[in-house]
Amino acid sequence: MVATAEEALAGVRDGASFAVGGFGLSGIPNVLIQALYNTGVTGIAVVSNNCGVDGGGLGVLLAAGRIARVTASYIGENKEFARQYLGGELEVELTPQGSLAERLRAGGSGIPAFYTPAGVGTPVAEGGLPLRHNPDGSIAVASPPKEVREFGGRPYVLEYGITTDFALVRAAKGDRHGNLVFNKAARNFNPLAAMAGRTTIAEVEELTELDPDEVHLPGVFVQRVLPLTPEQAADKGIERRTISAPSARGTVRS
């Protein structure tokens, strides 16, 4: 267990790789991301479902030009992410969401690679996806083709497991041993990211004793636990506040 976010991030360096939990702004390790920003590290590689939003989550590091490469399943509504990617400032590996989840889980489980049907017959398998653009929008670096094999008469594409130098995750509850419990949708990519990190750092909203039967992620995957203050635990962003009025009964809305 560590007392401060600064202590939790001891040893981070320029060019390090990070697996980061969260989906949009749900379950993101806000405190650790801000502390990582404060360290001034740059040129980092990030593996996460997406790269936060403009001004929130990983978007803070992105806007500061600290991220060199992103492995994610989608760009989302982050305009700065799209601008840097299309402008050639950022290398981006887009991968199907389920494949990304399994790549993190496989890496954390010591499985170097696996075959999946996701992406067969598309540029995911055949190559040609832009990893980096030129400033004029043309493709500077394209993804290479991947190995495809048949099993039972069906084609499958080879995907590699992911491991990173560090992982940053957020949990609803945790104990001093690193056992973690996540809250509903905030669970998302957090357990998978935690598994993939060689040094995994978890910020926990409540430090407590846990019943072994309620543990979602065992402490063997977690090296550092940062208990949050009540104020930090309550600080949770909402990605989209706009709600629509309910439609009239029987009315189909486009």
Side-chain angles (χ1 to χ4, degrees):
M1 193 169 69
V2 294
T4 66
E6 293 72 26
E7 184 182 351
L9 291 173
V12 301
R13 61 191 184 282
D14 291 350
S17 58
F18 294 81
V20 183
F23 189 110
L25 294 182
S26 175
I28 60 172
N30 266 325
V31 174
L32 290 171
I33 290 172
Q34 184 60 48
L36 183 60
Y37 171 84
N38 293 340
T39 66
V41 296
T42 190
I44 63 175
V46 169
V47 181
S48 191
N49 179 62
N50 59 294
C51 210
V53 300
D54 292 299
L58 288 170
V60 174
L61 290 164
L62 191 68
R66 306 285 185 78
I67 300 176
R69 191 178 196 277
V70 177
T71 300
S73 71
Y74 75 110
I75 293 177
E77 299 180 15
N78 190 324
K79 295 179 180 178
E80 179 62 14
F81 189 2
R83 186 197 68 78
Q84 289 190 25
Y85 175 42
L86 296 175
E89 300 174 25
L90 184 69
E91 185 170 305
V92 177
E93 179 189 5
L94 292 173
T95 187
Q97 194 168 83
S99 297
L100 178 61
E102 183 63 8
R103 290 179 69 190
L104 289 165
R105 191 200 68 82
S109 301
I111 299 170
F114 59 92
Y115 287 94
T116 173
V120 171
T122 76
V124 169
E126 296 169 358
L129 286 173
L131 295 177
R132 181 181 290 278
H133 290 88
N134 290 308
D136 64 2
S138 60
I139 298 176
V141 181
S143 64
K146 298 176 181 177
E147 179 186 334
V148 176
R149 286 185 60 184
E150 282 195 5
F151 295 90
R154 185 178 182 183
Y156 293 79
V157 60
L158 181 69
E159 294 283 5
Y160 289 93
I162 293 175
T163 56
T164 57
D165 298 316
F166 296 91
L168 310 179
V169 301
R170 182 175 182 129
K173 295 190 292 184
D175 63 20
R176 60 190 180 87
H177 304 293
N179 298 302
L180 303 179
V181 174
F182 305 93
N183 185 30
K184 300 182 175 67
R187 188 170 178 175
N188 53 63
F189 274 74
N190 275 299
L192 304 167
M195 292 175 69
R198 297 183 186 91
T199 299
T200 293
I201 310 162
E203 58 181 62
V204 298
E205 297 171 12
E206 179 186 357
L207 186 69
T208 184
E209 294 296 321
L210 296 175
D211 184 323
D213 283 341
E214 67 177 321
V215 171
H216 293 153
L217 183 79
V220 67
F221 292 110
V222 180
Q223 283 69 50
R224 301 172 190 172
V225 176
L226 173 67
L228 301 182
T229 66
E231 293 75 20
Q232 290 172 329
D235 183 16
K236 300 175 183 178
I238 299 175
E239 189 169 353
R240 184 185 293 273
R241 293 179 179 274
T242 303
I243 57 174
S244 301
S247 59
R249 183 182 296 274
T251 301
V252 177
R253 303 185 66 179
S254 58

